[in-house]
Amino acid sequence: MRQTTGIVLIVEDNRSLAETLGNYLESQGFDVDYAADGLEGYRLAAENHYDAIVLDGNLPRLDGLEVCRRLRGEARNSTPVIMLTARDTLDDKLAGLDNGADDYLTKPFAAQELDARLRAVMRRNRKELGQQVLTVGDLVFDPASHRVTRAGQELMVSPIGTKLLHILMRESPRVVTRREIEGEVWGTSLPDSDTLRSHLYNLRKVIDKGFDTPLLHTVQSAGYRMADLARPVQKTAAAQPAASADPIAA
């Protein structure tokens, strides 16, 4: 019996590119599904299970950024998303990541690179899905559903805020440096110096405002940590998760 590497949804309106990518990924053991516009891509992603989504940024009916934003928000869908787009400025990359994308690949690109990035985000996601619920004080985060509650109250956290929360709760009560956080959230597409501070400020408003005990702490000249200083943090361990390229252009 053929062993499937994973199930991938390609949302791309360029039929030739979609077919080229699909044929290559199928040759590497993936099962592939297609959508030619943003609305159909969103519907398929919300209704079906995929191991990863390859999402073009410029789509008819609903652009890729909005598809990603709705998946993370309305659909509570944590499937890894790799954005494919010809727009390669830093602002474009940050916009994709801010709306919930896990990685960003600009055209033209090599099919082998997409394959490698798909495998990387899938490994990371499977590791996260293997984690049990993270708890710090009365704050609870489920990595599988990205659901966040505090004292039983559900909190709405932005895509970047969710990534920050996951890092800080996973490492709690350790102090996490600015460099560590930026590298894990944005990779090499580093934002300006105020971006992390702004996202942390917004996250603090969501998880601490209206509650008696602050959990998100700034440690001067060291970094940030998530901890209930009134009692020890409880944390669970993660389960272990189960070739020369020709450029591909749009």
Side-chain angles (χ1 to χ4, degrees):
M1 179 181 290
R2 172 179 174 269
Q3 184 173 0
T4 299
T5 304
I7 307 171
V8 176
L9 172 64
I10 297 176
V11 189
E12 169 62 64
D13 63 329
N14 183 319
R15 184 182 181 90
S16 176
L17 175 59
E19 289 180 351
T20 299
L21 292 178
N23 290 337
Y24 179 81
L25 292 177
E26 286 176 347
S27 76
Q28 302 304 304
F30 290 92
D31 288 334
V32 180
D33 206 353
Y34 299 93
D37 64 73
L39 279 178
E40 179 66 6
Y42 174 76
R43 184 188 68 79
L44 288 174
E47 294 179 359
N48 301 286
H49 166 76
Y50 297 102
D51 294 294
I53 300 168
V54 178
L55 179 63
D56 185 37
N58 187 21
L59 292 165
R61 301 181 72 195
L62 197 66
D63 71 38
L65 289 179
E66 182 64 14
V67 172
C68 198
R69 189 189 68 77
R70 291 190 186 185
L71 282 175
R72 300 302 189 230
E74 297 172 7
R76 291 283 189 176
N77 188 309
S78 60
T79 303
V81 172
I82 297 179
M83 294 286 293
L84 285 186
T85 179
R87 296 178 290 191
D88 61 355
T89 68
L90 178 59
D91 286 345
D92 289 325
K93 294 178 181 180
L94 294 178
L97 295 170
D98 285 350
N99 280 277
D102 297 271
D103 203 352
Y104 198 105
L105 194 55
T106 57
K107 303 173 183 178
F109 61 91
Q112 289 90 336
E113 182 178 4
L114 175 61
D115 183 2
R117 291 183 184 235
L118 278 171
R119 293 172 191 269
V121 297
M122 287 165 55
R123 281 195 303 270
R124 189 162 65 239
N125 189 59
R126 285 167 180 164
K127 183 176 180 180
E128 291 176 1
L129 292 178
Q131 288 179 326
Q132 297 180 22
V133 172
L134 298 172
T135 303
V136 176
D138 57 357
L139 180 67
V140 180
F141 173 62
D142 183 352
S145 66
H146 284 195
R147 185 170 183 261
V148 181
T149 62
R150 183 163 185 188
Q153 175 184 337
E154 186 160 2
L155 306 178
M156 301 304 296
V157 182
S158 71
I160 290 291
T162 300
K163 292 180 181 179
L164 296 174
L165 186 68
H166 190 187
I167 295 166
L168 292 167
M169 292 187 72
R170 183 190 69 209
E171 300 301 324
S172 174
R174 182 176 76 85
V175 175
V176 188
T177 68
R178 180 190 189 94
R179 180 172 295 182
E180 286 179 276
I181 295 171
E182 289 179 336
E184 188 164 341
V185 175
W186 291 286
T188 58
S189 302
L190 293 178
D192 63 55
S193 59
D194 290 329
T195 300
L196 177 59
R197 186 181 298 110
S198 175
H199 282 295
L200 286 166
Y201 172 78
N202 290 331
L203 178 60
R204 183 178 277 114
K205 285 198 303 182
V206 173
I207 66 170
D208 280 344
K209 186 176 181 180
F211 297 95
D212 294 335
T213 305
L215 297 177
L216 177 53
H217 306 276
T218 301
V219 181
Q220 196 67 30
S221 302
Y224 305 89
R225 70 172 174 171
M226 190 76 67
D228 183 351
L229 300 182
R231 56 180 173 172
V233 68
Q234 296 179 353
K235 188 177 86 160
T236 55
Q240 292 301 314
S244 165
D246 296 322
I248 296 179

